[in-house]
Amino acid sequence: MQVLNSRQSVRSFAPTPLSFQDISNLLWAAFGINREDGKRTAPSSRNIQDIDIYVFIPDGVFLYNAKENKLVPISSEDLRGMTGTQDYVKSAPLNLVYISDQSKMGKASSEDKYITSGADAGFIAQNVYLYCASQNLGAVVRASVDKKPLFSKLNLKQGQVIVLTQTVGYKQ
């Protein structure tokens, strides 16, 4: 009840970086594997686990690999500014981008793919909010992002869709 009471959206972040342990804990809480059968901390429609979490920090961009609980390097560039249209995304210590691999959804209709990816990303984003509330961190989920240049910069493939972004950091 205390964490739910503390959950809020924050849009002003201190530039203080998060430790790699904090990022690791946050990502595990977001969508880590918490059972021997490979299921995760957030539900996923039909357990298709279509969401990939891209991690944007000053040192670059990484893909969260839940099976190995590690970050896979994607780019050494600081691309935080591409994760949203708001000014604070450029200096916030951490931005997460939730990307759905809709090819995992088979022959589902476009509408079902859209709804499923939104719900699955939303579950993960809420886990991030709750983790942040428990650690006195700030977070805000956003849909305002120029998707086309980000899609290109990340070399995403057909079937991958940028669903949501979320900024995390110490409250200012």
Side-chain angles (χ1 to χ4, degrees):
M1 296 303 280
Q2 182 180 352
V3 170
L4 289 169
N5 189 55
S6 299
R7 197 228 49 88
Q8 62 179 319
S9 293
V10 173
R11 291 173 179 82
S12 183
F13 301 92
T16 308
L18 298 172
S19 73
F20 280 108
Q21 187 62 56
D22 286 336
I23 294 170
S24 176
N25 292 347
L26 180 140
L27 291 169
W28 182 85
F31 202 41
I33 295 172
N34 66 348
R35 288 169 268 178
E36 289 183 20
D37 63 1
K39 291 185 179 175
R40 310 278 190 101
T41 58
S44 173
S45 178
R46 298 185 319 269
N47 195 36
I48 56 175
Q49 301 179 9
D50 61 299
I51 301 295
D52 288 317
I53 303 174
Y54 283 72
V55 177
F56 290 69
I57 58 176
D59 295 338
V61 181
F62 301 85
L63 175 62
Y64 175 54
N65 178 329
K67 288 180 182 166
E68 296 181 29
N69 197 36
K70 72 176 193 175
L71 294 176
V72 177
I74 300 296
S75 172
S76 60
E77 292 180 77
D78 182 357
L79 301 176
R80 292 175 294 165
M82 294 186 76
T83 66
T85 60
Q86 303 85 351
D87 286 338
Y88 60 81
V89 303
K90 297 171 189 167
S91 59
L94 174 64
N95 287 287
L96 304 173
V97 177
Y98 304 123
I99 298 175
S100 172
D101 183 352
Q102 294 187 343
S103 69
K104 293 180 176 181
M105 296 181 201
K107 296 182 181 187
S109 70
S110 294
E111 181 179 4
D112 285 347
K113 288 179 180 181
Y114 177 78
I115 291 168
T116 297
S117 61
D120 291 350
F123 299 137
I124 295 167
Q126 183 67 351
N127 278 3
V128 169
Y129 267 121
L130 295 175
Y131 175 82
C132 288
S134 78
Q135 300 299 307
N136 200 31
L137 293 169
V140 65
V141 71
R142 300 170 288 100
S144 183
V145 58
D146 192 354
K147 294 177 181 178
K148 190 172 182 178
L150 185 56
F151 184 95
S152 177
K153 191 69 172 178
L154 294 176
N155 294 314
L156 299 178
K157 63 183 186 212
Q158 186 174 358
Q160 289 183 296
V161 176
I162 298 168
V163 182
L164 290 174
T165 61
Q166 192 167 26
T167 302
V168 174
Y170 294 99
K171 301 174 201 174
Q172 194 166 41

